Amino acid sequence: MGVHGLLSLLNSSKAARQRVCLDGKASAPREKILLVDASAVQFHILQKLDLDWRSQDFNKTLYKEASRFYSGLLQVGLQPLLVLDSACAPGHEETHTQRRVAAHRSGKILGPTSGMVMYHVYKDLGLQVEQSIHSADKLLLALYHKHRSNVFALLTGDTDFAVYGVPKVVMVGNAVVDAGTVTFTILNTLEAWKELSRAAALRNARPGAALPPAMLPDLCKRAQVAALLGNDKSKDVRHRLQARNGQTRKNGGGFSIGAVLSPKMAAFEVLVRDDLPMDLAFFHNTLKMRSFNEQALQEFQEVVQEYVQDDEFARAPTAIEQLKITPASLPWLPEPLVRMLDREPLPGLMLAFASRGFFVPMDVPTPCKALLQDVRRRAASVLAAPGAAVHEFCYITETLQRLLGQGPEGAKAAAGGAAGGQAGPRAVDWFVPSTHLPAAQVVDATGSVSAAEIHRSMSPVGRTMQETAAAVQKACETVGAVDVAPNIAAYYAILLHALEPTAPEAEPGQFRTACRELLLPGVTIYTPEMEEQEFEQEQVPLADGEAAKVVDVGSGLSQDDWNEIDDKGVVNSVKSSTGYKIMGELQPYQPASELQAAALPTSKLFHLFYVLSQKGMHADSWKKVTKACFPTEYADIKADKAKAKELQATPKDTLLQELKAERSTGASYALTWFSRLSNCVEGGGSVKEQAALLLAVMKDAVLGGQGSLQWRSAQVCLEAASPTVKQAAKEEMWSGSNSMIGTGGKAMRYPQQQEIMDMVQEHFEDAKASTSPQPLHVILSTPTGSGKTFTAVMLHLHLLKQHYPDQILVYSVPTKQVLKRVGQECEAHGVIYWTAAKDGNMHQVRRPYSIRTERGDKRTQTSGPIHEQMSMTASQGINSHDIGGGHPSVIIADIDSTAALMKAAREAPPSSFYHSTNLLLYLDEPNMGLQLDPRVYRVVREIMANAPFTTILASATLPPSWDFLPKWWRGRGGAVRASISLEPYGLPMSRLQLLSSTHGMRVQLNMLQLFRSYVEFHQAVSTNQRLRVLLVRHLSPKQANQLLLMQGRESADNGAVPESEEDLVTLFGREVSSLRESLEPQLVDMSAQQFEQLRNVDWAERPEYAPGGLLAAQSTQGVTLIATLHPREVALEVAGIRNRAAWGDAVRAMRAKISEAVQAQRQQAKEQQRSRKDEDGPPLGGEDTGSPMVTLRMGLKVDIEDTQGTDIDTLVMLSKGVAYASSGVDQDPLVKRLYQQALLRVPEKAGKQPPLTRLVVDYSGIYGTDCPSVDTIIMHPSLGRLLSFDDHLQFIGRLRRDGVAIYPSLSMLRSATTGLRSDARDTELLGEARSEAMRDALAPLLTADPPKSATEVLAEAQAKKSDGDMADGNALCGAWAALISGLKEKSPDELKKELIRRAKAYAKVLGAFANSGKVELSLLKYMQRLCFQAEKHLEPHFALMLRVLYEVDVLSEDAILHWYHKGSDPAGRDVFLPQTEALVKWLEEESEEEEESD
């Protein structure tokens, strides 16, 4: 709600966000009032609970959660002041109705009783409530201005309040309520606007100029930004901006990407403007919105003016009274009824009818629609203004139903009279269709259609509400509605009692009590003590017991495992890795806007460019660049030959050294930019490499801005690029490697790394200054591969070690592979660390040899309780003079030892070095195995129950909000709850494939094929933002470009990106994360026709023959990762052990090789090592020490001693480039070591594979394997069927390069990528695929000129059915789909005639497969789905098709009647049942007549 994208813009300033934790004691705020947008909170709670409103526990569960939330606010000393909506705000009807349509399609209806249940929460807790005359926002703003000196914050979901300048705004998802504490993340909107304005000024500042001061934009300027970004009332303006971004545009006209500025850049342009009018020239020339016209400008200005007027009106002394429901605001109603509307839990339609005459009612089963509409019509007659029309919007048919009145004139008169001539927004703005929803069709529904006796049977007179609810249920059953939900009956019972002044509960107090007994029977008023009971009872849903077999979390470490941690070869590999080098030079994060203001050394750059333009093979290219960047300087130097000669005398290398010596930010960036530019200018490399260089130079251009040196040089490069390179750039820009460019100097932390560093440091500093500091618990939600392990080591090295040396970082790891990997990182960085792991029922804490100073200290470690182990290990460290004096800086522990340590730390005395206040727990992937193994769940729950003073949950799959986690994650105590998240837009591209071992076929799937229908797709992408983000990574470049360029057509073509230099520079200058984010609206707005065209035509690919099945698929350029239950067995299979003859040859060759190595002399070994050394560095396996070596394969050598202790099959497997990792005991030590080294090995040359090319892992390896060379992942069916959605996300996240994810079945792939898991759906999808194959085979025969005969078509159909192993239902559906093909362009009359002709001509074909009622029902459902989704032109003719198919004996009477009464598909049910009602009635009457005649 509010302004689209504004929150992310304002949140980009860290200084504008403030976290406040209240506990009602020392931290009680001075300002007490918390203004609450109650509807936003209600929606948030329902979204979090994800309840079905039809369920019996809906009201009870909602009441408890809402009570817990508001009770928590009261406990910390706040005074919530709630404002409730009464109706849709005037001017927002289109957005309001569209949201209801989307909610219906997605199945996310809030439920009819939710508002009344929430009202009971407010009254039970004694909360102050104000009822707005329509929407809450204006009344909230007026209340803020009245109470501003005593307002703590405004809690809302509407970013409009940031535009108005309410200083402290909390979005509902940023309020975390614990037992006794509440954590708010407050947006200081004024500070945020200042920082945004400063960033805009920096972007437009002259390089080297002084940083501009932070100035607060006035309301008009803020409103202009809001109107440009788009709010609920300015969607057409937003569509024009989206069209400029290459997004969907639905208002027709030409299409142009224009300058492809992001909304952020467009906002910047508004903020840096002087106070000039926003004229068309600004939109056309600055924003490149060339289709923006006078009408759009007027709309834009109206939105801006509305913000200004609303703010002025809210400051008026009488505003609050005019915006509330009072007798004065509804003068036509009796005062008792107005008081009832203001103070009682009533159905929402009563408030909406009384205040605006417009409502969107809950849909009900078809048979009782008319009956319940009669009840609503009666309510309208009681509540509406005299003479006014009352309308309701049906989100099924998307039409307006006029319940009362004859037209808009009375409504306008009533509205004008109620407004009273007040300046500013009117207190009442009665709904008028032609004004507020002009595009909606108005249907007259003013006449009653239900029998009077049925209405009398529902009368509340003499009945309790419960009795009336039962009467409503019975009345609905009388008219044929047998599945009316109890909450529907309750809703209308309460409505009937509210409309009946003689009902028993007419008195206010009695009415509320009766409502409570009906909605919340047996539910007691909430008390805080209930929280502890719920905590103890809360459970996580677990998978079947079989799944626990795959989990081995926190396995005990063997002696070999301990030895591998400090294996010198592996540690040396860590030290040679890029991450190790970066850690030593990492600098604090610096926003790009500050880099833009850095002064480039232009004189030195001109000198350098000029030298390059005068000699060398690329002189002509550099001459063009120099002239473009320095036109004046170049002209001057050409006129001064002596000066030119002097400049030419300086070598290029000398100039580069001078730049390096300057050591300024501008010079450092200039060097980095020049390196990229020179590579691009001078060319070379493959087309793909040239395209990547071109994209990098374009990013420099965008960073510098239009007119900068970078921009001018980029235009030259773009002009010089060949069409082939440009086309490659259009594809390469969607690569996961198209990310942020280096800006010179040393590497910087990522923003999320800087944020966690700053947050923890601020936490420790606050703890020093406070007498009762609050714990800090943080969710670090970042994608797989974003460096969570790196971040933990960085926290220690850069923060704890330097500033808080008494703090111990406890790194809790999900698998022993990760435990060893973190230990090796600590070894490489010289960290003083201990390890702790479970040993049977006890624990073992160890000191590595690297921190021991006494030679020969070989003490073995025993096991015991964790507190004894900690004390004993510390004592040993002190006595042995360990580095660190017996106290570790880091403890690496498995989850079992972590749980024991956390409990011991909580119970330890404050003086203990491992007391809870001295621990920083970094819990890595804490949800691994939670849904698979009850033991893991219990252990992690115990960890959180005893979480220390500082806790970080680092996960790629936890939701980025504490509020969406079960309560047990928060433990029993209060804490500051914070979240840091990074949306996974920048993940490597992941193409999806199915590979069937049975059929030997490989199928390239497009992302839309993961969904069985458009309805399922739309429901998923419209309600699940996380899923949308994940899905876009599965788009190929071709598909992504097609979406980027889609217009509002029925299908998208492959139009070319506009070729203007200005457009392409800006487009190519965007990172993949920005490009993917811009595709999200396309997914949400995609129509059914576009879905079908893209899914089945444009993006469909033919299967390929793939002999060898699942395990034969492998990468040819990178590393393939295979996940299975049995790693060693599968690894040997992948290596080829089943081919016994070839394997036997390999075994004999390996034995001969070993024998040769044994006989070789030591002096020959060194020579062999030098001759075989791989050009990419030292061979995998370690440095050659002169001992006999065996070359297993190129770049893979092992000591002869290793071969003696390893079985021959394992050596052959390694020689084939295959290794495995297992959490069990069956992994050979040599395989372990080589596997660990393989994870660190990245070939320097692109396309060159490392020695080990296939890695096979078990479940723990999914979480413990991080190899930068992985570009192919394969899920084995033995493991994949047992995993959760989060587990699959982790596995797909192991792709570290653009690549492919291969799965054995569509069902498993759907589960892995969307969370949709149903074998039945899988079968249905395969059935639809078979039907489509039949359609494709028959359609050309039916549409041929002349068409083929029925006999010929039937022969082809039967042959296709036999070849494709189709069921009769699939064949029938496919034949019918062929029959209706090619009719889309015909007129309605022509279409009807052709439908009848084809049905009669080819009835023989259809009838051959329609051999049972079950098959006929499958056809009816299939017809439903197609007509409702892909073949919308046939929707009006659905009843005709049924009639014709009945007449030609394809469909039977029984099948049609069964379908109508209880067998229809949900897709289009509310459209097709009313349409076929007459046909069904005729069939039933005909049947009755036949029975009578018999």
Side-chain angles (χ1 to χ4, degrees):
M1 290 174 55
V3 183
H4 309 295
L6 180 61
L7 189 62
S8 62
L9 281 184
L10 298 180
N11 268 331
S12 61
S13 168
K14 174 180 174 293
R17 299 193 306 276
Q18 175 189 7
R19 288 183 179 84
V20 176
C21 182
L22 304 179
D23 60 7
K25 300 172 186 175
S27 62
R30 181 175 58 84
E31 302 88 357
K32 300 288 187 181
I33 295 177
L34 178 68
L35 295 173
V36 180
D37 183 346
S39 296
V41 173
Q42 175 184 330
F43 179 80
H44 174 76
I45 291 173
L46 288 169
Q47 185 182 39
K48 178 177 67 173
L49 295 174
D50 195 23
L51 298 171
D52 183 353
W53 63 269
R54 302 172 188 82
S55 67
Q56 292 183 345
D57 292 334
F58 174 82
N59 294 340
K60 177 181 177 181
T61 305
L62 175 60
Y63 176 85
K64 288 172 62 177
E65 183 60 25
S67 297
R68 186 192 69 81
F69 182 87
Y70 282 110
S71 177
L73 299 179
L74 293 170
Q75 287 182 68
V76 298
L78 291 173
Q79 298 172 6
L81 174 52
L82 282 63
V83 177
L84 308 184
D85 290 335
S86 291
C88 168
H92 295 252
E93 292 82 4
E94 181 178 356
T95 301
H96 180 68
T97 53
Q98 285 177 355
R99 284 177 178 156
R100 292 302 297 269
V101 170
H104 162 66
R105 288 176 177 170
S106 65
K108 297 292 182 180
I109 300 294
L110 299 184
T113 57
S114 56
M116 294 184 286
V117 171
M118 294 293 291
Y119 205 93
H120 283 291
V121 173
Y122 311 148
K123 293 302 180 181
D124 288 349
L125 296 178
L127 301 176
Q128 184 179 352
V129 178
E130 297 287 359
Q131 189 78 56
S132 170
I133 191 64
H134 36 69
S135 67
D137 51 356
K138 293 180 177 62
L139 181 53
L140 279 166
L141 186 61
L143 288 168
Y144 160 71
H145 284 302
K146 177 180 179 180
H147 300 289
R148 60 188 310 160
S149 61
N150 200 30
V151 170
F152 170 75
L154 192 155
L155 182 63
T156 182
D158 191 342
T159 51
D160 275 334
F161 294 104
V163 181
Y164 292 124
V166 175
K168 294 188 290 185
V169 174
V170 179
M171 305 309 289
V172 286
N174 291 332
V176 183
V177 178
D178 286 331
T181 63
V182 181
T183 303
F184 295 100
T185 300
I186 299 174
L187 177 64
N188 186 325
T189 62
L190 303 184
E191 193 63 35
W193 278 108
K194 289 179 183 178
E195 288 299 315
L196 192 64
S197 180
R198 179 173 176 268
L202 277 171
R203 178 171 175 78
N204 288 271
R206 180 172 50 83
L211 296 180
M215 302 291 291
L216 176 67
D218 62 19
L219 175 58
C220 184
K221 188 78 72 178
R222 301 195 301 267
Q224 289 170 348
V225 172
L228 190 62
L229 293 175
N231 64 5
D232 288 348
K233 203 171 182 179
S234 64
K235 278 200 165 184
D236 286 340
V237 181
R238 178 62 174 171
H239 283 317
R240 290 177 177 84
L241 181 62
Q242 289 175 339
R244 190 176 42 70
N245 271 294
Q247 297 173 14
T248 306
R249 182 177 168 194
K250 298 180 178 178
N251 53 338
F255 177 78
S256 172
I257 284 187
V260 205
L261 289 172
S262 69
K264 178 179 181 179
M265 295 299 103
F268 279 2
E269 293 293 348
V270 173
L271 291 172
V272 298
R273 276 178 63 85
D274 295 328
D275 292 330
L276 299 174
M278 300 282 282
D279 54 14
L280 284 178
F282 172 73
F283 288 95
H284 291 171
N285 302 330
T286 304
L287 298 185
K288 313 300 178 188
M289 296 171 67
R290 299 182 181 95
S291 64
F292 208 84
N293 54 27
E294 289 287 351
Q295 180 183 352
L297 180 62
Q298 182 180 350
E299 294 171 359
F300 179 91
Q301 291 169 339
E302 286 174 358
V303 174
V304 173
Q305 190 62 27
E306 184 180 13
Y307 277 110
V308 176
Q309 289 180 344
D310 286 349
D311 186 68
E312 290 176 355
F313 179 74
R315 296 171 185 269
T318 59
I320 293 175
E321 287 303 309
Q322 292 189 60
L323 292 169
K324 290 166 52 178
I325 284 190
T326 63
S329 63
L330 302 173
W332 57 86
L333 293 180
E335 189 170 327
L337 182 54
V338 176
R339 284 200 302 270
M340 190 176 192
L341 291 172
D342 185 37
R343 301 173 187 173
E344 294 298 331
L346 297 174
L349 71 83
M350 294 187 67
L351 295 161
F353 281 167
S355 59
R356 291 216 58 216
F358 173 69
F359 185 63
V360 183
M362 169 74 68
D363 186 48
V364 295
T366 300
C368 64
K369 282 181 186 289
L371 171 65
L372 298 183
Q373 189 178 65
D374 278 348
V375 178
R376 298 195 298 275
R377 189 179 298 107
R378 179 188 168 196
S381 66
V382 172
L383 297 164
V390 176
H391 296 80
E392 61 183 25
F393 180 81
C394 176
Y395 53 72
I396 305 298
T397 60
E398 299 187 33
T399 58
L400 276 173
Q401 311 271 330
R402 187 169 67 246
L403 300 182
L404 200 67
Q406 299 302 314
E409 307 307 323
K412 290 182 179 179
Q422 175 67 38
R426 294 181 300 177
V428 175
D429 194 339
W430 204 263
F431 176 78
V432 179
S434 60
T435 301
H436 298 114
L437 273 180
Q441 178 187 358
V442 180
V443 178
D444 186 7
T446 55
S448 177
V449 295
S450 299
E453 58 271 17
I454 296 180
H455 282 284
R456 284 194 294 272
S457 73
M458 297 189 298
S459 171
V461 178
R463 286 181 172 145
T464 66
M465 279 190 191
Q466 291 173 323
E467 291 170 340
T468 304
V472 171
Q473 193 96 33
K474 185 175 181 180
C476 291
E477 292 173 358
T478 301
V479 296
V482 296
D483 55 347
V484 174
N487 276 341
I488 289 285
Y491 182 89
Y492 282 93
I494 295 171
L495 175 61
L496 288 167
H497 277 256
L499 296 173
E500 179 54 63
T502 62
E505 299 91 351
E507 293 299 319
Q510 296 176 359
F511 187 89
R512 193 179 309 150
T513 301
C515 282
R516 184 183 180 85
E517 291 174 353
L518 177 61
L519 298 175
L520 300 165
V523 177
T524 58
I525 295 177
Y526 181 88
T527 61
E529 290 72 25
M530 295 178 180
E531 184 82 3
E532 183 67 21
Q533 298 174 7
E534 293 178 8
F535 175 86
E536 295 296 340
Q537 296 169 359
E538 190 177 23
Q539 298 290 327
V540 69
L542 297 173
D544 295 336
E546 182 187 3
K549 297 176 184 177
V550 309
V551 179
D552 190 357
V553 179
S555 298
L557 298 183
S558 66
Q559 185 62 47
D560 286 337
D561 293 324
W562 291 112
N563 295 337
E564 287 166 15
I565 291 178
D566 55 3
D567 179 275
K568 298 305 179 187
V570 177
V571 173
N572 287 335
S573 296
V574 174
K575 288 184 176 180
S576 65
S577 67
T578 303
Y580 177 84
K581 297 171 185 175
I582 290 175
M583 185 70 78
E585 61 182 32
L586 205 60
Q587 299 296 302
Y589 171 72
Q590 186 180 17
S593 56
E594 296 183 14
L595 291 168
Q596 291 161 352
L600 290 174
T602 52
S603 60
K604 284 188 172 64
L605 285 172
F606 168 68
H607 193 170
L608 177 61
F609 284 20
Y610 183 75
V611 168
L612 293 171
S613 70
Q614 298 305 302
K615 54 187 175 182
M617 62 184 297
H618 303 291
D620 290 342
S621 299
W622 278 110
K623 187 176 294 184
K624 293 178 182 178
V625 172
T626 308
K627 285 182 177 180
C629 292
F630 303 99
T632 304
E633 293 87 339
Y634 189 84
D636 291 344
I637 207 70
K638 294 300 288 182
D640 189 342
K641 294 185 178 180
K643 184 66 174 176
K645 187 174 182 180
E646 178 186 342
L647 291 182
Q648 292 177 41
T650 309
K652 166 188 169 183
D653 291 342
T654 301
L655 294 171
L656 291 174
Q657 288 300 324
E658 289 177 2
L659 278 173
K660 290 179 182 178
E662 192 167 317
R663 296 186 180 280
S664 67
T665 302
S668 295
Y669 168 64
L671 280 168
T672 307
W673 167 56
F674 172 75
S675 175
R676 285 190 287 266
L677 179 63
S678 61
N679 287 333
C680 189
V681 170
E682 296 173 9
S686 66
V687 170
K688 184 175 181 179
E689 289 170 337
Q690 292 179 55
L693 287 170
L694 187 64
L695 293 177
V697 170
M698 298 304 117
K699 289 184 184 63
D700 284 306
V702 171
L703 182 66
Q706 293 190 31
S708 64
L709 298 182
Q710 302 98 302
W711 189 279
R712 295 173 192 171
S713 61
Q715 288 179 309
V716 175
C717 292
L718 194 58
E719 183 180 349
S722 68
T724 304
V725 170
K726 288 180 182 177
Q727 183 59 41
K730 294 168 191 174
E731 297 177 2
E732 190 65 20
M733 69 184 186
W734 297 103
S735 168
S737 61
N738 180 26
S739 56
M740 186 187 311
I741 56 172
T743 52
K746 297 180 178 179
M748 291 189 303
R749 297 174 188 136
Y750 289 123
Q752 70 272 15
Q753 292 173 334
Q754 188 64 53
E755 187 171 0
I756 192 68
M757 289 274 290
D758 294 343
M759 188 183 295
V760 172
Q761 184 166 21
E762 182 181 345
H763 165 62
F764 286 146
E765 292 302 315
D766 289 346
K768 288 181 182 179
S770 174
T771 56
S772 56
Q774 289 287 343
L776 172 67
H777 292 179
V778 185
I779 294 174
L780 181 59
S781 176
T782 59
T784 303
S786 59
K788 291 184 286 295
T789 301
F790 184 93
T791 301
V793 177
M794 180 195 70
L795 267 173
H796 165 68
L797 292 175
H798 294 190
L799 182 64
L800 305 185
K801 181 179 179 180
Q802 297 182 27
H803 302 288
Y804 311 100
D806 292 335
Q807 284 288 323
I808 301 173
L809 175 70
V810 179
Y811 193 116
S812 182
V813 295
T815 71
K816 67 179 181 182
Q817 286 97 331
V818 179
L819 189 152
K820 291 187 290 186
R821 180 73 176 86
V822 177
Q824 289 151 4
E825 288 281 347
C826 290
E827 285 280 344
H829 289 285
V831 175
I832 304 167
Y833 75 98
W834 294 353
T835 56
K838 184 181 179 183
D839 185 14
N841 293 326
M842 294 296 171
H843 304 274
Q844 193 174 100
V845 178
R846 290 204 178 198
R847 303 147 45 231
Y849 290 112
S850 59
I851 70 171
R852 304 184 190 187
T853 60
E854 291 188 354
R855 300 175 67 86
D857 183 1
K858 301 291 185 180
R859 299 181 196 179
T860 58
Q861 190 75 30
T862 59
S863 302
I866 195 72
H867 65 280
E868 292 181 4
Q869 287 285 297
M870 292 292 289
S871 300
M872 183 171 62
T873 306
S875 177
Q876 289 177 351
I878 294 170
N879 295 334
S880 300
H881 307 290
D882 282 2
I883 301 172
H887 286 183
S889 299
V890 173
I891 298 176
I892 307 166
D894 64 19
I895 62 167
D896 293 286
S897 292
T898 299
L901 178 57
M902 294 304 104
K903 184 177 181 181
R906 183 174 286 273
E907 297 170 353
S911 59
S912 172
F913 73 94
Y914 64 89
H915 184 264
S916 284
T917 55
N918 296 329
L919 301 183
L920 188 159
L921 172 61
Y922 194 91
L923 192 52
D924 189 1
E925 297 299 350
N927 53 337
M928 174 188 172
L930 280 185
Q931 296 178 328
L932 301 178
D933 191 341
R935 186 192 69 82
V936 175
Y937 164 70
R938 289 191 295 270
V939 170
V940 176
R941 181 167 178 152
E942 185 176 357
I943 291 173
M944 295 311 300
N946 297 294
F949 186 64
T950 313
T951 300
I952 299 172
L953 307 183
S955 174
T957 53
L958 277 181
S961 170
W962 288 95
D963 223 21
F964 283 84
L965 285 172
K967 299 182 187 69
W968 64 262
W969 281 98
R970 305 176 199 170
R972 291 185 172 86
V976 176
R977 310 283 179 191
S979 301
I980 298 173
S981 62
L982 175 67
E983 295 289 5
Y985 287 112
L987 291 171
M989 186 193 313
S990 169
R991 291 172 291 119
L992 303 174
Q993 290 185 0
L994 294 180
L995 186 57
S996 170
S997 300
T998 305
H999 301 99
M1001 299 296 290
R1002 187 200 304 256
V1003 181
Q1004 184 82 38
L1005 283 185
N1006 65 64
M1007 175 263 290
L1008 300 180
Q1009 289 173 321
L1010 297 170
F1011 301 92
R1012 63 171 182 166
S1013 65
Y1014 171 74
V1015 171
E1016 184 180 71
F1017 165 77
H1018 184 77
Q1019 175 179 342
V1021 299
S1022 63
T1023 60
N1024 192 333
Q1025 192 265 344
R1026 180 193 184 197
L1027 180 60
R1028 292 198 301 270
V1029 176
L1030 293 170
L1031 285 175
V1032 291
R1033 74 176 297 198
H1034 301 307
L1035 293 167
S1036 70
K1038 171 189 171 183
Q1039 295 164 358
N1041 278 324
Q1042 201 167 352
L1043 279 183
L1044 189 69
L1045 293 167
M1046 267 174 55
Q1047 301 181 41
R1049 301 191 296 266
E1050 290 214 345
S1051 66
D1053 56 34
N1054 245 347
V1057 174
E1059 295 294 329
S1060 77
E1061 290 177 3
E1062 191 176 67
D1063 290 350
L1064 281 181
V1065 169
T1066 314
L1067 175 64
F1068 286 167
R1070 296 175 69 179
E1071 300 170 16
V1072 67
S1073 56
S1074 170
L1075 288 165
R1076 286 179 179 171
E1077 186 176 7
S1078 70
L1079 295 181
E1080 280 194 71
Q1082 293 293 78
L1083 299 183
V1084 175
D1085 294 339
M1086 188 180 292
S1087 68
Q1089 289 83 357
Q1090 289 171 335
F1091 174 85
E1092 294 293 339
Q1093 177 71 23
L1094 293 174
R1095 178 181 185 266
N1096 300 323
V1097 181
D1098 294 356
W1099 295 356
E1101 297 190 29
R1102 292 191 176 277
E1104 301 174 1
Y1105 181 57
L1110 188 69
L1111 301 180
Q1114 59 179 308
S1115 170
T1116 58
Q1117 294 188 324
V1119 170
T1120 300
L1121 184 70
I1122 304 171
T1124 177
L1125 269 180
H1126 313 290
R1128 177 173 171 80
E1129 176 184 316
V1130 171
L1132 288 169
E1133 184 179 347
V1134 168
I1137 198 171
R1138 288 191 176 183
N1139 187 338
R1140 300 311 302 177
W1143 193 262
D1145 292 340
V1147 167
R1148 286 187 288 274
M1150 180 60 63
R1151 284 179 175 149
K1153 196 177 290 188
I1154 294 171
S1155 178
E1156 180 183 346
V1158 170
Q1159 297 172 13
Q1161 300 297 320
R1162 283 185 175 275
Q1163 57 269 29
Q1164 294 173 330
K1166 292 184 179 180
E1167 186 176 335
Q1168 290 173 357
Q1169 180 195 18
R1170 286 192 295 271
S1171 64
R1172 296 173 182 174
K1173 185 176 294 185
D1174 184 70
E1175 60 181 346
D1176 278 331
L1180 191 60
E1183 296 287 345
D1184 200 338
T1185 60
S1187 61
M1189 303 287 288
V1190 176
T1191 301
L1192 299 179
R1193 62 189 280 118
M1194 182 66 72
L1196 182 60
K1197 297 182 180 181
V1198 296
D1199 292 333
I1200 190 63
E1201 288 82 3
D1202 289 326
T1203 66
Q1204 301 303 310
T1206 304
D1207 73 87
I1208 194 68
D1209 284 340
T1210 298
L1211 292 174
V1212 173
M1213 177 191 74
L1214 292 169
S1215 74
K1216 303 290 187 181
V1218 181
Y1220 66 93
S1222 172
S1223 59
V1225 296
D1226 62 341
Q1227 189 173 12
D1228 185 278
L1230 174 62
V1231 178
K1232 287 183 184 180
R1233 178 161 54 84
L1234 294 180
Y1235 182 90
Q1236 286 294 318
Q1237 293 184 38
L1239 301 187
L1240 301 168
R1241 185 68 174 273
V1242 184
E1244 294 177 5
K1245 292 184 178 180
K1248 182 176 176 60
Q1249 288 183 293
L1252 293 177
T1253 60
R1254 285 164 289 177
L1255 306 177
V1256 186
V1257 300
D1258 61 5
Y1259 176 79
S1260 64
I1262 290 176
Y1263 286 79
T1265 299
D1266 189 2
C1267 178
S1269 298
V1270 170
D1271 65 0
T1272 301
I1273 59 172
I1274 302 175
M1275 177 57 71
H1276 195 272
S1278 64
L1279 178 61
R1281 63 190 176 86
L1282 301 174
L1283 301 186
S1284 69
F1285 177 49
D1286 287 347
D1287 293 327
H1288 282 293
L1289 289 185
Q1290 285 284 351
F1291 180 61
I1292 296 176
R1294 294 301 144 190
L1295 276 176
R1296 289 296 185 264
R1297 301 176 178 177
D1298 295 336
V1300 59
I1302 303 175
Y1303 272 71
S1305 74
L1306 183 56
S1307 175
M1308 192 182 297
L1309 187 57
R1310 277 165 48 84
S1311 171
T1313 52
T1314 68
L1316 301 171
R1317 191 165 194 167
S1318 170
D1319 291 337
R1321 289 180 176 180
D1322 195 19
T1323 302
E1324 184 178 336
L1325 279 165
L1326 293 173
E1328 288 185 1
R1330 293 189 178 106
S1331 297
E1332 289 166 5
M1334 177 67 80
R1335 176 200 62 193
D1336 294 343
L1338 301 187
L1341 305 181
L1342 294 171
T1343 57
D1345 189 14
K1348 300 296 182 181
S1349 68
T1351 302
E1352 292 173 299
V1353 174
L1354 178 58
E1356 176 65 21
Q1358 289 173 330
K1360 188 68 179 177
K1361 177 178 181 293
S1362 177
D1363 293 343
D1365 191 26
M1366 293 185 194
D1368 287 332
N1370 301 144
L1372 176 60
C1373 293
W1376 180 81
L1379 187 142
I1380 63 169
S1381 61
L1383 301 177
K1384 188 174 293 186
E1385 304 303 323
K1386 295 185 179 295
S1387 68
D1389 288 341
E1390 291 174 333
L1391 192 152
K1392 287 182 183 179
K1393 291 178 182 178
E1394 184 63 12
L1395 277 174
I1396 295 171
R1397 185 196 71 78
R1398 288 188 186 182
K1400 292 181 177 179
Y1402 296 103
K1404 175 182 178 181
V1405 179
L1406 299 175
F1409 306 114
N1411 50 27
S1412 71
K1414 182 178 179 180
V1415 171
E1416 293 174 38
L1417 184 61
S1418 70
L1419 174 61
L1420 284 162
K1421 291 183 177 181
Y1422 187 76
M1423 291 171 65
Q1424 255 191 276
R1425 291 194 295 272
L1426 253 64
C1427 292
F1428 188 65
Q1429 295 162 10
E1431 307 286 349
K1432 294 288 282 187
H1433 59 288
L1434 294 176
E1435 186 180 288
H1437 309 295
F1438 186 82
L1440 170 68
M1441 289 186 288
L1442 261 63
R1443 176 92 183 219
V1444 173
L1445 292 177
Y1446 169 74
E1447 291 174 349
V1448 297
D1449 293 329
V1450 172
L1451 292 176
S1452 66
E1453 174 188 315
D1454 290 343
I1456 295 174
L1457 294 178
H1458 178 82
W1459 167 83
Y1460 180 85
H1461 289 295
K1462 53 185 177 182
S1464 61
D1465 192 88
R1469 176 181 293 160
D1470 296 292
V1471 174
F1472 298 129
L1473 293 189
Q1475 190 186 133
T1476 54
E1477 185 175 0
L1479 172 63
V1480 169
K1481 186 176 181 180
W1482 175 76
L1483 289 173
E1484 289 176 336
E1485 290 174 350
E1486 188 179 63
S1487 177
E1488 290 173 1
E1489 290 174 1
E1490 289 178 358
E1491 289 177 1
E1492 290 174 0
S1493 63
D1494 290 343

